[in-house]
Amino acid sequence: MFLKEAIIDRFLSYVCIDTQSDPKSKSTPSTDKQWKLAHLLVDELNSIGLHEVTIDNNGYIMATLPATTTKPIPTIGFIAHYDTSPDFTAENVSPKIIENYNGKDIILNTEKNIVLSPSYFSDLKQYIGQTLITTDGNTLLGADDKAGITEIVAAAEYLIQHPEIAHGKIRIAFTPDEEIGRGAHLFDVKKFGADYAYTMDGSQIGELEYENFNAASAVVTINGTIVHPGYAKDKLVNSMLISQDFISSLPRLETPEHTSDREGFFHLHDIQGSVEKTTLEYIIRDHEKEHFEARKQVMIALVEELNKQYGEGTLEIEIHDQYYNMKEKIEPNMHIVTIAKKAMESLKIKPLIKPIRGGTDGSQLSFMGLPCPNIFAGGHNFHGKYEYVPVESMQKASEVIVKIAELTAELS
């Protein structure tokens, strides 16, 4: 149905373009280099025959696949993002193609001894005999979410080439800056005009998700006083040492490396420090709203407690909510999850319905009036040098998109 070579070629044409986003930028897209892929996608959507292809001043791409029937059918959407994570380099991506994977270690980089091993990444064993696309050990791959884009474009092209398949109006959107939590901030839901949508932004084949973390960022600033160390007694205040007090006072086992499923966490992801000033950057995550609010209060109370010890104003904290659990917006519209589940089952794909330990554009869009569960894009080990994607998973994801379009028409 979807030729492997065509999927590979399309995917490689996307990942070779560096689209890393930048959380410190105030523009949208947050990096100029995202425009290169954005304009390529606009040209491609036009060339395959989609209608109403637009790109706005902030890099949001939208297009229409017209209905092939006059039957009243809900307008559905499919969404993916074209930026990649700022956490790991995406410059000069040079993918490797592993055909007929044999279940053994994959040497990504001989010189640096970087090995993708099933003894550590056990999910690899699911894909013996399949074709894998990996990194060369120097960059991330960008399957998050260029695999999703590949799948949506491939499915749209297939539906254009097969007008005998009855489906309603389908809307497509590609967004910038999802990786820095801003992918939906300037998304025009009214212009998009879909009744509901699906993000193609999950991981392994079968994933179907309508729950995600509630999320916030927290920046803790510790102010010290620098004095010549030879004359520092009772004068010098070392902000880096005070930061140790803050870090060690949070629950040590409530961190990403010690939690799973619906367990929340505090994640310290950046430290910048000197005697006079240290900055700690955290993300706060929890599926339960009550626990999420409690985590924020724990950090605020800890700042207050340490200020009593070291002096008012020594520690400051800023907390900003990023997104919320879309479950409360999806549950009143569970038929859209049911359709996706039926689509997978009809294709002999076992649905893996579980909460996302992260977020997608869909979590924000759901609160903006566009219910938007998440479907697998097929990749694994996102945001790093061990990232890979099975080509067969991308093929299946495209099939799921086509089947959702068919079932939506049949069930309407």
Side-chain angles (χ1 to χ4, degrees), residues 77-210:
F78 293 95
I79 301 169
H81 65 90
Y82 55 81
D83 69 312
T84 57
S85 171
D87 296 335
F88 202 79
T89 181
E91 189 175 359
N92 299 319
V93 172
S94 182
K96 302 179 74 163
I97 298 176
I98 313 299
E99 296 182 348
N100 194 24
Y101 173 57
N102 62 11
K104 299 180 180 179
D105 287 358
I106 300 171
I107 299 174
L108 301 178
N109 192 299
T110 302
E111 182 182 346
K112 297 180 179 179
N113 193 32
I114 298 172
V115 179
L116 179 62
S117 175
S119 65
Y120 192 85
F121 298 106
S122 59
D123 287 338
L124 278 164
K125 297 174 184 176
Q126 298 179 56
Y127 306 112
I128 293 173
Q130 297 190 23
T131 298
L132 307 183
I133 303 179
T134 73
T135 76
D136 67 352
N138 291 311
T139 69
L140 51 69
L141 179 60
D144 181 12
D145 188 26
K146 292 168 185 174
I149 295 174
T150 300
E151 294 149 8
I152 292 170
V153 176
E157 185 175 43
Y158 182 87
L159 288 168
I160 289 168
Q161 294 171 351
H162 293 82
E164 72 278 8
I165 297 174
H167 63 79
K169 181 179 179 181
I170 296 172
R171 289 284 277 161
I172 289 167
F174 300 136
T175 68
D177 293 338
E178 189 271 354
E179 294 292 359
I180 57 174
R182 306 206 302 251
H185 283 192
L186 299 176
F187 191 101
D188 191 333
V189 171
K190 184 177 180 181
K191 176 184 174 183
F192 192 54
D195 295 289
Y196 54 87
Y198 301 90
T199 48
M200 304 299 297
D201 194 18
S203 184
Q204 76 179 76
I205 186 168
E207 282 191 0
L208 173 57
E209 299 148 327
Y210 63 93

Side-chain angles (χ1 to χ4, degrees), residues 7-8 11-12 15 95-98 131-135 141 387-391 394:
I7 290 286
I8 292 173
F11 178 70
L12 294 184
V15 299
K96 302 179 74 163
I97 298 176
I98 313 299
T131 298
L132 307 183
I133 303 179
T134 73
T135 76
L141 179 60
E387 186 181 3
Y388 71 93
V389 61
V391 177
M394 288 194 283

Side-chain angles (χ1 to χ4, degrees), residues 40-340:
L40 181 151
L41 289 170
V42 168
D43 291 343
E44 188 170 12
L45 296 179
N46 277 311
S47 69
I48 66 173
L50 287 172
H51 294 204
E52 301 172 331
V53 180
T54 63
I55 182 168
D56 67 16
N57 292 333
N58 298 116
Y60 288 81
I61 301 165
M62 295 184 183
T64 298
L65 181 61
T68 57
T69 174
T70 57
K71 179 182 177 182
I73 299 169
T75 298
I76 59 175
F78 293 95
I79 301 169
H81 65 90
Y82 55 81
D83 69 312
T84 57
S85 171
D87 296 335
F88 202 79
T89 181
E91 189 175 359
N92 299 319
V93 172
S94 182
K96 302 179 74 163
I97 298 176
I98 313 299
E99 296 182 348
N100 194 24
Y101 173 57
N102 62 11
K104 299 180 180 179
D105 287 358
I106 300 171
I107 299 174
L108 301 178
N109 192 299
T110 302
E111 182 182 346
K112 297 180 179 179
N113 193 32
I114 298 172
V115 179
L116 179 62
S117 175
S119 65
Y120 192 85
F121 298 106
S122 59
D123 287 338
L124 278 164
K125 297 174 184 176
Q126 298 179 56
Y127 306 112
I128 293 173
Q130 297 190 23
T131 298
L132 307 183
I133 303 179
T134 73
T135 76
D136 67 352
N138 291 311
T139 69
L140 51 69
L141 179 60
D144 181 12
D145 188 26
K146 292 168 185 174
I149 295 174
T150 300
E151 294 149 8
I152 292 170
V153 176
E157 185 175 43
Y158 182 87
L159 288 168
I160 289 168
Q161 294 171 351
H162 293 82
E164 72 278 8
I165 297 174
H167 63 79
K169 181 179 179 181
I170 296 172
R171 289 284 277 161
I172 289 167
F174 300 136
T175 68
D177 293 338
E178 189 271 354
E179 294 292 359
I180 57 174
R182 306 206 302 251
H185 283 192
L186 299 176
F187 191 101
D188 191 333
V189 171
K190 184 177 180 181
K191 176 184 174 183
F192 192 54
D195 295 289
Y196 54 87
Y198 301 90
T199 48
M200 304 299 297
D201 194 18
S203 184
Q204 76 179 76
I205 186 168
E207 282 191 0
L208 173 57
E209 299 148 327
Y210 63 93
E211 298 180 57
N212 62 277
F213 276 138
N214 295 289
S217 63
V219 178
V220 180
T221 303
I222 301 101
N223 300 302
T225 302
I226 189 165
V227 177
H228 188 290
Y231 306 94
K233 183 173 173 59
D234 299 327
K235 298 181 181 69
L236 185 145
V237 178
N238 193 327
S239 71
M240 291 182 288
L241 296 181
I242 298 173
S243 75
Q244 289 182 311
D245 288 348
F246 185 90
I247 294 167
S248 62
S249 295
L250 290 174
R252 179 64 188 90
L253 297 182
E254 295 184 20
T255 58
E257 62 269 33
H258 293 104
T259 54
S260 61
D261 299 325
R262 287 182 170 79
E263 296 171 330
F265 56 75
F266 303 95
H267 178 43
L268 174 63
H269 64 88
D270 190 74
I271 301 177
Q272 301 292 327
S274 64
V275 171
E276 196 162 45
K277 183 178 179 179
T278 297
T279 302
L280 310 176
E281 294 188 17
Y282 281 87
I283 60 173
I284 305 167
R285 300 289 189 266
D286 211 296
H287 281 95
E288 300 301 327
K289 192 67 176 291
E290 181 180 350
H291 296 169
F292 173 62
E293 295 298 333
R295 288 186 183 281
K296 291 188 286 185
Q297 289 305 312
V298 164
M299 297 189 81
I300 292 169
L302 180 54
V303 165
E304 292 173 350
E305 179 183 335
L306 291 174
N307 274 335
K308 290 177 183 177
Q309 180 178 344
Y310 291 106
E312 197 61 36
T314 302
L315 287 88
E316 304 170 77
I317 187 168
E318 290 186 12
I319 297 177
H320 297 286
D321 287 358
Q322 296 170 310
Y323 51 82
Y324 302 110
N325 190 342
M326 62 181 165
K327 179 180 178 180
E328 69 174 88
K329 300 298 182 181
I330 300 295
E331 282 190 329
N333 301 279
M334 280 299 287
H335 66 284
I336 65 180
V337 176
T338 300
I339 289 172

